[in-house]
Amino acid sequence: MLQRLAIRDVVLIEKLDLAFAPGLSVFTGETGAGKSILLDSLSLALGARADSALVRHGAAQASVIAEFDPPAGHPARLLAAEQDIEVGGDPLLLRRVVTADGRSRAYVNDQPVSVGLLRRIGDELVEIHGQFESHGLLDATTHRPVLDAFAGSETGLTRTRAAWREWRAAAALRAEAEAMLKRARAEEDELRHAFDELAGLAPRLGEEAELAESRAMMQHGEKLIEAMNTASAALTRSGEVEASLRSAQRALERVAERAGGRLDGVIAALERAAIEAAEANALLERASAEIDVDPRHLERVEERLFALRAAARKHGTEVDGLARLKDELGRRLAALDGGGDDLARLAKAEQAARAAYMEAARSLSARRSEAAGRLDSAVATELGPLKLDRARFATRVEALDETAWGPDGLDRVEFLVATNPGTPPAPLGKVASGGELSRFMLALKVVLAGTSPIPTMVFDEVDSGIGGAVAAAVGERLDRLGGQVQVLVVTHSPQVAARGSSHYRVAKGDAGGKVLTSVAVLGEAERREEIARMLAGETVTDQARAAAQSLLGV
């Protein structure tokens, strides 16, 4: 609720600090005293359009601070927190400064913010209904949430929103798969040609290195054979090397016993040398036999190597990547062949999700239609005492085109009124006069009390053009509404003023050669005198005081 309003240099107000209490607060005073300045000041702090005309003559700037204390988790606190404004459990201070040249600055808890953010936060804290302006319910986009709150549709909304998300997710998956399949089919011929080419080539991992090695060996085959022959000749020249080593070994073995072990190492070395020589000769013969100097074989190796490298260049990969590419192309073709089945499965899942959404949304629609009837009846009950008995209030719930369906269901909701019998209902703001509009809003708010998170409501001259029993009915309803939310009312009706739990008198007077507006908080005796003035006019009589006392119930 609004706890404090501090105004500096706004039109006729030089300095004003007001504290507010819960319940119904009434503002009274002579016409032209400056009651509208209070509302303009509050509106300014809530993000209304700034105007240099609001700055008091001679002042450099005007400023307004509105202090609120919404509960934890309130939308206004959440909006502030989203913008990294530290609020915690402290009050929310909305401040607006307007300079004499028309420039404007906005602050929330002394942190600079845009006027747009200030307005968004203000809209969550105060709803103003006046003869020339009305926030909230005149905006048709608010009607569906209001009806849902009245209907108690939280569970249905949660279910519908969850079903909507699942449907959209399923539709996105189906659309993505469809697009992928379409692209794949457009590339199918190219894919199959590439796969067939690689399948015919049958590349193996590591094959390039093997072929390059074989090619290099075959290219140098003649030199390798020549070197191997020279080595073989050396091993077999003047008799076999191995035979010579064995002969030397046997000669030493015959005298080894007489050498006292001195020849044992030599004999062992000759043994090893003979074995290594025999193995070297065998390996040399095997290597020589493996050298391929057939030019036709070299040609085949080179053709294979060049074919692999050409394919790698064509597909933009390494030779060793060809085998992986072939496998990937195979998988894509397999997916293409089975893509119709996958698409059918996803389409079936999408249809199931749509059906679940439709079920939840239709249930929500039925709840809205039932609640609309109850709301219309409840509002009709309030209209008679407010001198709107010839008017008719109607809540229209109509189905949207599928293109307009959304997480909140299938419906458009709009509040309509017909002020005269026989005329079709039309939107609130288009058919109701200023006074009628305020009373329609009062009737609606009384019925909807407790369903909105907005903690403060302002009515400007809701009693315009009425009196007597109708004014008493307005006052009674404002009093009832004040039991649910904080209500501020600017009124000229003594019947309404008498209902206030707090009473403020607005007056205009001379102060040091300047005309200024002041506001006084009235005690019991002062209230009685003020209401008597409202009843009697310029001259307050004892009869007026008695009537005022009767209205106050004291």
Side-chain angles (χ1 to χ4, degrees), residues 12-71:
L12 297 179
I13 298 175
E14 185 175 50
K15 178 180 179 181
L16 187 60
D17 292 286
L18 296 175
F20 296 93
L24 175 61
S25 296
V26 297
F27 292 81
T28 62
E30 298 284 357
T31 300
K35 298 184 293 297
S36 62
I37 300 175
L38 293 176
L39 294 186
D40 289 342
S41 299
L42 176 59
S43 297
L44 191 65
L46 298 174
R49 182 178 176 273
D51 190 332
S52 60
L54 292 172
V55 181
R56 187 174 62 84
H57 179 69
Q61 65 179 33
S63 68
V64 184
I65 299 175
E67 178 181 317
F68 297 88
D69 190 19

Tab-separated table of all heavy atoms in Angstrom, residues 12-71:
chain	number	residue	atom	x	y	z
A	12	LEU	N	0.746	24.372	-7.117
A	12	LEU	CA	0.497	25.236	-5.958
A	12	LEU	C	0.998	24.627	-4.654
A	12	LEU	O	0.783	25.206	-3.588
A	12	LEU	CB	-1.005	25.536	-5.830
A	12	LEU	CG	-1.636	26.306	-6.992
A	12	LEU	CD1	-3.130	26.508	-6.746
A	12	LEU	CD2	-0.943	27.642	-7.202
A	13	ILE	N	1.636	23.487	-4.729
A	13	ILE	CA	2.150	22.837	-3.522
A	13	ILE	C	3.643	23.136	-3.402
A	13	ILE	O	4.430	22.787	-4.287
A	13	ILE	CB	1.922	21.317	-3.560
A	13	ILE	CG1	0.425	21.005	-3.603
A	13	ILE	CG2	2.570	20.652	-2.344
A	13	ILE	CD1	0.115	19.528	-3.757
A	14	GLU	N	4.006	23.789	-2.321
A	14	GLU	CA	5.415	24.087	-2.077
A	14	GLU	C	6.105	22.915	-1.383
A	14	GLU	O	7.167	22.457	-1.802
A	14	GLU	CB	5.542	25.350	-1.225
A	14	GLU	CG	6.981	25.807	-1.023
A	14	GLU	CD	7.046	27.126	-0.277
A	14	GLU	OE1	6.394	27.249	0.780
A	14	GLU	OE2	7.757	28.035	-0.762
A	15	LYS	N	5.503	22.458	-0.312
A	15	LYS	CA	6.058	21.323	0.429
A	15	LYS	C	4.912	20.603	1.125
A	15	LYS	O	4.129	21.222	1.849
A	15	LYS	CB	7.081	21.785	1.457
A	15	LYS	CG	7.670	20.666	2.291
A	15	LYS	CD	8.689	21.200	3.302
A	15	LYS	CE	9.260	20.069	4.142
A	15	LYS	NZ	10.235	20.570	5.149
A	16	LEU	N	4.819	19.298	0.883
A	16	LEU	CA	3.730	18.532	1.476
A	16	LEU	C	4.206	17.115	1.749
A	16	LEU	O	4.777	16.465	0.867
A	16	LEU	CB	2.528	18.495	0.526
A	16	LEU	CG	1.233	17.878	1.048
A	16	LEU	CD1	0.722	18.634	2.263
A	16	LEU	CD2	0.176	17.854	-0.051
A	17	ASP	N	3.995	16.652	2.969
A	17	ASP	CA	4.327	15.279	3.353
A	17	ASP	C	3.091	14.644	3.952
A	17	ASP	O	2.582	15.105	4.982
A	17	ASP	CB	5.464	15.264	4.371
A	17	ASP	CG	6.775	15.731	3.764
A	17	ASP	OD1	7.363	14.949	2.997
A	17	ASP	OD2	7.191	16.869	4.059
A	18	LEU	N	2.596	13.592	3.311
A	18	LEU	CA	1.383	12.918	3.760
A	18	LEU	C	1.691	11.461	4.090
A	18	LEU	O	2.420	10.792	3.357
A	18	LEU	CB	0.306	12.961	2.674
A	18	LEU	CG	-0.237	14.345	2.289
A	18	LEU	CD1	-1.207	14.210	1.126
A	18	LEU	CD2	-0.917	14.996	3.484
A	19	ALA	N	1.116	11.004	5.185
A	19	ALA	CA	1.200	9.583	5.551
A	19	ALA	C	-0.178	8.976	5.358
A	19	ALA	O	-1.202	9.632	5.592
A	19	ALA	CB	1.656	9.432	6.993
A	20	PHE	N	-0.214	7.708	4.945
A	20	PHE	CA	-1.484	7.053	4.652
A	20	PHE	C	-1.617	5.764	5.448
A	20	PHE	O	-0.617	5.110	5.778
A	20	PHE	CB	-1.594	6.741	3.156
A	20	PHE	CG	-1.616	7.971	2.298
A	20	PHE	CD1	-0.434	8.482	1.755
A	20	PHE	CD2	-2.792	8.643	2.045
A	20	PHE	CE1	-0.436	9.608	0.976
A	20	PHE	CE2	-2.803	9.789	1.261
A	20	PHE	CZ	-1.631	10.277	0.723
A	21	ALA	N	-2.859	5.414	5.713
A	21	ALA	CA	-3.176	4.206	6.471
A	21	ALA	C	-3.968	3.262	5.578
A	21	ALA	O	-4.448	3.654	4.503
A	21	ALA	CB	-3.976	4.576	7.720
A	22	PRO	N	-4.126	2.004	5.990
A	22	PRO	CA	-4.982	1.096	5.228
A	22	PRO	C	-6.434	1.571	5.251
A	22	PRO	O	-6.800	2.473	6.012
A	22	PRO	CB	-4.820	-0.242	5.964
A	22	PRO	CG	-3.591	-0.094	6.791
A	22	PRO	CD	-3.487	1.347	7.144
A	23	GLY	N	-7.264	0.953	4.444
A	23	GLY	CA	-8.687	1.265	4.439
A	23	GLY	C	-9.023	2.370	3.466
A	23	GLY	O	-8.321	2.618	2.484
A	24	LEU	N	-10.123	3.071	3.757
A	24	LEU	CA	-10.647	4.121	2.884
A	24	LEU	C	-10.194	5.490	3.371
A	24	LEU	O	-10.507	5.896	4.492
A	24	LEU	CB	-12.173	4.054	2.839
A	24	LEU	CG	-12.889	5.159	2.072
A	24	LEU	CD1	-12.487	5.169	0.607
A	24	LEU	CD2	-14.409	5.013	2.205
A	25	SER	N	-9.437	6.188	2.527
A	25	SER	CA	-9.025	7.561	2.816
A	25	SER	C	-9.759	8.487	1.867
A	25	SER	O	-9.777	8.254	0.651
A	25	SER	CB	-7.518	7.724	2.631
A	25	SER	OG	-6.808	6.930	3.559
A	26	VAL	N	-10.370	9.576	2.409
A	26	VAL	CA	-11.140	10.492	1.581
A	26	VAL	C	-10.458	11.857	1.565
A	26	VAL	O	-9.868	12.291	2.567
A	26	VAL	CB	-12.594	10.615	2.085
A	26	VAL	CG1	-13.305	9.281	1.977
A	26	VAL	CG2	-12.645	11.129	3.509
A	27	PHE	N	-10.539	12.515	0.414
A	27	PHE	CA	-10.002	13.870	0.234
A	27	PHE	C	-11.155	14.782	-0.150
A	27	PHE	O	-11.867	14.526	-1.129
A	27	PHE	CB	-8.938	13.892	-0.862
A	27	PHE	CG	-7.683	13.162	-0.503
A	27	PHE	CD1	-7.610	11.782	-0.613
A	27	PHE	CD2	-6.576	13.850	-0.055
A	27	PHE	CE1	-6.459	11.104	-0.286
A	27	PHE	CE2	-5.410	13.179	0.282
A	27	PHE	CZ	-5.350	11.797	0.174
A	28	THR	N	-11.349	15.811	0.634
A	28	THR	CA	-12.422	16.762	0.360
A	28	THR	C	-11.847	18.170	0.301
A	28	THR	O	-10.706	18.414	0.699
A	28	THR	CB	-13.511	16.685	1.439
A	28	THR	OG1	-12.929	17.049	2.706
A	28	THR	CG2	-14.092	15.282	1.543
A	29	GLY	N	-12.656	19.112	-0.165
A	29	GLY	CA	-12.228	20.502	-0.255
A	29	GLY	C	-13.032	21.218	-1.310
A	29	GLY	O	-13.723	20.600	-2.130
A	30	GLU	N	-12.943	22.517	-1.283
A	30	GLU	CA	-13.657	23.321	-2.265
A	30	GLU	C	-13.137	23.030	-3.671
A	30	GLU	O	-11.985	22.627	-3.867
A	30	GLU	CB	-13.472	24.810	-1.963
A	30	GLU	CG	-14.021	25.264	-0.620
A	30	GLU	CD	-15.538	25.377	-0.619
A	30	GLU	OE1	-16.148	25.161	-1.691
A	30	GLU	OE2	-16.107	25.681	0.446
A	31	THR	N	-13.979	23.250	-4.649
A	31	THR	CA	-13.560	23.130	-6.043
A	31	THR	C	-12.415	24.100	-6.309
A	31	THR	O	-12.494	25.280	-5.949
A	31	THR	CB	-14.736	23.428	-6.984
A	31	THR	OG1	-15.787	22.489	-6.726
A	31	THR	CG2	-14.304	23.341	-8.439
A	32	GLY	N	-11.352	23.610	-6.937
A	32	GLY	CA	-10.208	24.443	-7.227
A	32	GLY	C	-9.191	24.517	-6.115
A	32	GLY	O	-8.178	25.217	-6.240
A	33	ALA	N	-9.433	23.783	-5.014
A	33	ALA	CA	-8.493	23.845	-3.892
A	33	ALA	C	-7.173	23.158	-4.218
A	33	ALA	O	-6.142	23.460	-3.616
A	33	ALA	CB	-9.124	23.215	-2.650
A	34	GLY	N	-7.194	22.220	-5.146
A	34	GLY	CA	-5.942	21.553	-5.517
A	34	GLY	C	-5.965	20.047	-5.339
A	34	GLY	O	-4.908	19.410	-5.317
A	35	LYS	N	-7.176	19.497	-5.232
A	35	LYS	CA	-7.242	18.034	-5.063
A	35	LYS	C	-6.651	17.313	-6.279
A	35	LYS	O	-5.989	16.288	-6.146
A	35	LYS	CB	-8.697	17.592	-4.837
A	35	LYS	CG	-9.324	18.163	-3.579
A	35	LYS	CD	-10.714	17.630	-3.342
A	35	LYS	CE	-11.716	18.084	-4.383
A	35	LYS	NZ	-11.920	19.556	-4.397
A	36	SER	N	-6.890	17.861	-7.455
A	36	SER	CA	-6.356	17.220	-8.659
A	36	SER	C	-4.830	17.274	-8.679
A	36	SER	O	-4.183	16.416	-9.283
A	36	SER	CB	-6.918	17.894	-9.911
A	36	SER	OG	-6.518	19.256	-9.959
A	37	ILE	N	-4.245	18.280	-8.010
A	37	ILE	CA	-2.780	18.365	-7.960
A	37	ILE	C	-2.204	17.165	-7.218
A	37	ILE	O	-1.139	16.642	-7.579
A	37	ILE	CB	-2.346	19.684	-7.292
A	37	ILE	CG1	-2.871	20.880	-8.080
A	37	ILE	CG2	-0.826	19.754	-7.190
A	37	ILE	CD1	-2.591	22.218	-7.415
A	38	LEU	N	-2.911	16.727	-6.184
A	38	LEU	CA	-2.453	15.540	-5.443
A	38	LEU	C	-2.415	14.325	-6.359
A	38	LEU	O	-1.439	13.552	-6.352
A	38	LEU	CB	-3.367	15.278	-4.251
A	38	LEU	CG	-3.358	16.305	-3.125
A	38	LEU	CD1	-4.405	15.922	-2.076
A	38	LEU	CD2	-1.988	16.386	-2.486
A	39	LEU	N	-3.482	14.161	-7.162
A	39	LEU	CA	-3.511	13.016	-8.068
A	39	LEU	C	-2.463	13.150	-9.157
A	39	LEU	O	-1.829	12.167	-9.544
A	39	LEU	CB	-4.901	12.878	-8.682
A	39	LEU	CG	-6.041	12.531	-7.718
A	39	LEU	CD1	-7.320	12.278	-8.502
A	39	LEU	CD2	-5.689	11.315	-6.874
A	40	ASP	N	-2.261	14.378	-9.663
A	40	ASP	CA	-1.223	14.585	-10.677
A	40	ASP	C	0.158	14.260	-10.105
A	40	ASP	O	1.014	13.677	-10.780
A	40	ASP	CB	-1.245	16.030	-11.165
A	40	ASP	CG	-2.465	16.335	-12.023
A	40	ASP	OD1	-3.085	15.373	-12.505
A	40	ASP	OD2	-2.790	17.520	-12.188
A	41	SER	N	0.362	14.640	-8.846
A	41	SER	CA	1.653	14.369	-8.205
A	41	SER	C	1.870	12.868	-8.048
A	41	SER	O	2.955	12.345	-8.352
A	41	SER	CB	1.714	15.056	-6.839
A	41	SER	OG	1.587	16.454	-6.965
A	42	LEU	N	0.847	12.158	-7.570
A	42	LEU	CA	0.963	10.704	-7.422
A	42	LEU	C	1.189	10.052	-8.783
A	42	LEU	O	2.047	9.170	-8.930
A	42	LEU	CB	-0.297	10.152	-6.758
A	42	LEU	CG	-0.370	8.627	-6.610
A	42	LEU	CD1	0.806	8.109	-5.787
A	42	LEU	CD2	-1.693	8.199	-5.983
A	43	SER	N	0.440	10.499	-9.792
A	43	SER	CA	0.600	9.937	-11.138
A	43	SER	C	2.011	10.155	-11.661
A	43	SER	O	2.588	9.294	-12.337
A	43	SER	CB	-0.416	10.556	-12.101
A	43	SER	OG	-1.739	10.233	-11.706
A	44	LEU	N	2.561	11.338	-11.351
A	44	LEU	CA	3.928	11.630	-11.789
A	44	LEU	C	4.911	10.634	-11.196
A	44	LEU	O	5.794	10.105	-11.891
A	44	LEU	CB	4.298	13.055	-11.373
A	44	LEU	CG	5.588	13.633	-11.960
A	44	LEU	CD1	5.467	13.777	-13.471
A	44	LEU	CD2	5.902	14.977	-11.315
A	45	ALA	N	4.764	10.321	-9.909
A	45	ALA	CA	5.653	9.351	-9.257
A	45	ALA	C	5.451	7.949	-9.800
A	45	ALA	O	6.347	7.101	-9.680
A	45	ALA	CB	5.418	9.360	-7.747
A	46	LEU	N	4.284	7.698	-10.408
A	46	LEU	CA	3.984	6.372	-10.951
A	46	LEU	C	4.379	6.233	-12.415
A	46	LEU	O	4.143	5.197	-13.024
A	46	LEU	CB	2.486	6.072	-10.797
A	46	LEU	CG	1.964	6.025	-9.359
A	46	LEU	CD1	0.449	5.879	-9.362
A	46	LEU	CD2	2.607	4.897	-8.573
A	47	GLY	N	4.979	7.308	-12.980
A	47	GLY	CA	5.473	7.206	-14.350
A	47	GLY	C	4.635	7.901	-15.390
A	47	GLY	O	4.824	7.670	-16.593
A	48	ALA	N	3.700	8.779	-14.979
A	48	ALA	CA	2.893	9.500	-15.955
A	48	ALA	C	3.756	10.490	-16.728
A	48	ALA	O	4.883	10.805	-16.338
A	48	ALA	CB	1.744	10.225	-15.253
A	49	ARG	N	3.184	11.001	-17.807
A	49	ARG	CA	3.924	11.944	-18.659
A	49	ARG	C	4.258	13.199	-17.866
A	49	ARG	O	3.422	13.763	-17.170
A	49	ARG	CB	3.077	12.288	-19.879
A	49	ARG	CG	3.750	13.225	-20.862
A	49	ARG	CD	2.848	13.459	-22.069
A	49	ARG	NE	3.444	14.437	-22.971
A	49	ARG	CZ	3.279	15.747	-22.862
A	49	ARG	NH1	2.540	16.233	-21.867
A	49	ARG	NH2	3.843	16.576	-23.728
A	50	ALA	N	5.497	13.656	-17.997
A	50	ALA	CA	5.938	14.853	-17.289
A	50	ALA	C	5.647	16.093	-18.123
A	50	ALA	O	5.634	16.042	-19.350
A	50	ALA	CB	7.428	14.763	-16.982
A	51	ASP	N	5.419	17.212	-17.417
A	51	ASP	CA	5.126	18.480	-18.080
A	51	ASP	C	5.744	19.592	-17.246
A	51	ASP	O	5.580	19.622	-16.021
A	51	ASP	CB	3.606	18.659	-18.188
A	51	ASP	CG	3.228	19.833	-19.085
A	51	ASP	OD1	4.022	20.782	-19.175
A	51	ASP	OD2	2.136	19.785	-19.679
A	52	SER	N	6.429	20.484	-17.912
A	52	SER	CA	7.056	21.585	-17.174
A	52	SER	C	6.024	22.447	-16.449
A	52	SER	O	6.357	23.150	-15.485
A	52	SER	CB	7.875	22.456	-18.126
A	52	SER	OG	7.037	23.004	-19.136
A	53	ALA	N	4.748	22.406	-16.904
A	53	ALA	CA	3.695	23.184	-16.247
A	53	ALA	C	3.450	22.707	-14.826
A	53	ALA	O	2.831	23.417	-14.024
A	53	ALA	CB	2.407	23.108	-17.061
A	54	LEU	N	3.912	21.508	-14.483
A	54	LEU	CA	3.741	20.999	-13.121
A	54	LEU	C	4.701	21.657	-12.134
A	54	LEU	O	4.492	21.585	-10.919
A	54	LEU	CB	3.950	19.484	-13.101
A	54	LEU	CG	2.893	18.637	-13.808
A	54	LEU	CD1	3.334	17.183	-13.880
A	54	LEU	CD2	1.557	18.734	-13.073
A	55	VAL	N	5.770	22.268	-12.631
A	55	VAL	CA	6.766	22.885	-11.747
A	55	VAL	C	6.207	24.214	-11.226
A	55	VAL	O	5.757	25.070	-12.000
A	55	VAL	CB	8.095	23.105	-12.485
A	55	VAL	CG1	9.127	23.726	-11.542
A	55	VAL	CG2	8.603	21.785	-13.066
A	56	ARG	N	6.222	24.377	-9.910
A	56	ARG	CA	5.697	25.599	-9.282
A	56	ARG	C	6.446	26.817	-9.806
A	56	ARG	O	7.664	26.784	-9.992
A	56	ARG	CB	5.830	25.498	-7.761
A	56	ARG	CG	5.151	26.648	-6.996
A	56	ARG	CD	5.205	26.395	-5.495
A	56	ARG	NE	6.583	26.342	-5.016
A	56	ARG	CZ	7.298	27.432	-4.697
A	56	ARG	NH1	6.780	28.644	-4.818
A	56	ARG	NH2	8.542	27.296	-4.257
A	57	HIS	N	5.719	27.873	-10.033
A	57	HIS	CA	6.312	29.095	-10.574
A	57	HIS	C	7.449	29.576	-9.672
A	57	HIS	O	7.290	29.719	-8.462
A	57	HIS	CB	5.242	30.191	-10.684
A	57	HIS	CG	5.785	31.487	-11.215
A	57	HIS	ND1	6.219	31.648	-12.514
A	57	HIS	CD2	5.988	32.699	-10.594
A	57	HIS	CE1	6.654	32.868	-12.687
A	57	HIS	NE2	6.522	33.547	-11.540
A	58	GLY	N	8.590	29.801	-10.272
A	58	GLY	CA	9.744	30.272	-9.531
A	58	GLY	C	10.654	29.175	-9.029
A	58	GLY	O	11.765	29.462	-8.561
A	59	ALA	N	10.216	27.924	-9.095
A	59	ALA	CA	11.045	26.803	-8.627
A	59	ALA	C	11.862	26.232	-9.784
A	59	ALA	O	11.451	26.293	-10.946
A	59	ALA	CB	10.179	25.711	-8.013
A	60	ALA	N	13.015	25.680	-9.454
A	60	ALA	CA	13.883	25.097	-10.487
A	60	ALA	C	13.400	23.723	-10.927
A	60	ALA	O	13.593	23.326	-12.083
A	60	ALA	CB	15.316	24.997	-9.978
A	61	GLN	N	12.756	23.026	-10.004
A	61	GLN	CA	12.283	21.684	-10.338
A	61	GLN	C	11.185	21.279	-9.367
A	61	GLN	O	11.044	21.837	-8.279
A	61	GLN	CB	13.427	20.669	-10.279
A	61	GLN	CG	14.012	20.475	-8.896
A	61	GLN	CD	15.130	19.437	-8.872
A	61	GLN	OE1	15.872	19.285	-9.833
A	61	GLN	NE2	15.229	18.702	-7.772
A	62	ALA	N	10.423	20.280	-9.800
A	62	ALA	CA	9.409	19.666	-8.941
A	62	ALA	C	9.834	18.227	-8.680
A	62	ALA	O	10.476	17.589	-9.518
A	62	ALA	CB	8.043	19.688	-9.615
A	63	SER	N	9.497	17.714	-7.497
A	63	SER	CA	9.831	16.316	-7.197
A	63	SER	C	8.710	15.696	-6.369
A	63	SER	O	8.046	16.374	-5.579
A	63	SER	CB	11.150	16.216	-6.439
A	63	SER	OG	11.032	16.762	-5.144
A	64	VAL	N	8.519	14.404	-6.590
A	64	VAL	CA	7.516	13.638	-5.853
A	64	VAL	C	8.129	12.292	-5.475
A	64	VAL	O	8.767	11.644	-6.310
A	64	VAL	CB	6.236	13.396	-6.679
A	64	VAL	CG1	5.193	12.673	-5.832
A	64	VAL	CG2	5.673	14.689	-7.223
A	65	ILE	N	7.933	11.915	-4.216
A	65	ILE	CA	8.359	10.587	-3.755
A	65	ILE	C	7.123	9.857	-3.229
A	65	ILE	O	6.400	10.382	-2.370
A	65	ILE	CB	9.411	10.676	-2.635
A	65	ILE	CG1	10.666	11.382	-3.121
A	65	ILE	CG2	9.761	9.271	-2.121
A	65	ILE	CD1	11.694	11.619	-2.027
A	66	ALA	N	6.891	8.670	-3.761
A	66	ALA	CA	5.804	7.819	-3.268
A	66	ALA	C	6.431	6.571	-2.664
A	66	ALA	O	7.207	5.874	-3.321
A	66	ALA	CB	4.852	7.442	-4.393
A	67	GLU	N	6.105	6.298	-1.417
A	67	GLU	CA	6.685	5.153	-0.706
A	67	GLU	C	5.633	4.058	-0.560
A	67	GLU	O	4.532	4.291	-0.080
A	67	GLU	CB	7.176	5.587	0.669
A	67	GLU	CG	7.762	4.446	1.500
A	67	GLU	CD	8.221	4.897	2.878
A	67	GLU	OE1	8.857	5.976	2.960
A	67	GLU	OE2	7.924	4.184	3.853
A	68	PHE	N	6.005	2.844	-0.963
A	68	PHE	CA	5.113	1.688	-0.890
A	68	PHE	C	5.806	0.563	-0.124
A	68	PHE	O	7.037	0.495	-0.084
A	68	PHE	CB	4.757	1.188	-2.296
A	68	PHE	CG	3.998	2.171	-3.128
A	68	PHE	CD1	4.676	3.111	-3.911
A	68	PHE	CD2	2.621	2.168	-3.151
A	68	PHE	CE1	3.991	4.029	-4.689
A	68	PHE	CE2	1.914	3.073	-3.928
A	68	PHE	CZ	2.600	4.006	-4.692
A	69	ASP	N	5.004	-0.322	0.416
A	69	ASP	CA	5.557	-1.476	1.122
A	69	ASP	C	4.810	-2.738	0.707
A	69	ASP	O	4.073	-3.340	1.497
A	69	ASP	CB	5.468	-1.273	2.635
A	69	ASP	CG	6.263	-2.340	3.391
A	69	ASP	OD1	7.143	-2.972	2.778
A	69	ASP	OD2	5.986	-2.555	4.593
A	70	PRO	N	4.973	-3.162	-0.558
A	70	PRO	CA	4.290	-4.374	-1.017
A	70	PRO	C	4.893	-5.604	-0.357
A	70	PRO	O	6.057	-5.594	0.060
A	70	PRO	CB	4.552	-4.370	-2.524
A	70	PRO	CG	5.818	-3.607	-2.683
A	70	PRO	CD	5.815	-2.566	-1.600
A	71	PRO	N	4.143	-6.691	-0.274
A	71	PRO	CA	4.663	-7.904	0.369
A	71	PRO	C	5.760	-8.559	-0.465
A	71	PRO	O	5.939	-8.251	-1.650
A	71	PRO	CB	3.422	-8.803	0.460
A	71	PRO	CG	2.531	-8.336	-0.638
A	71	PRO	CD	2.752	-6.850	-0.736
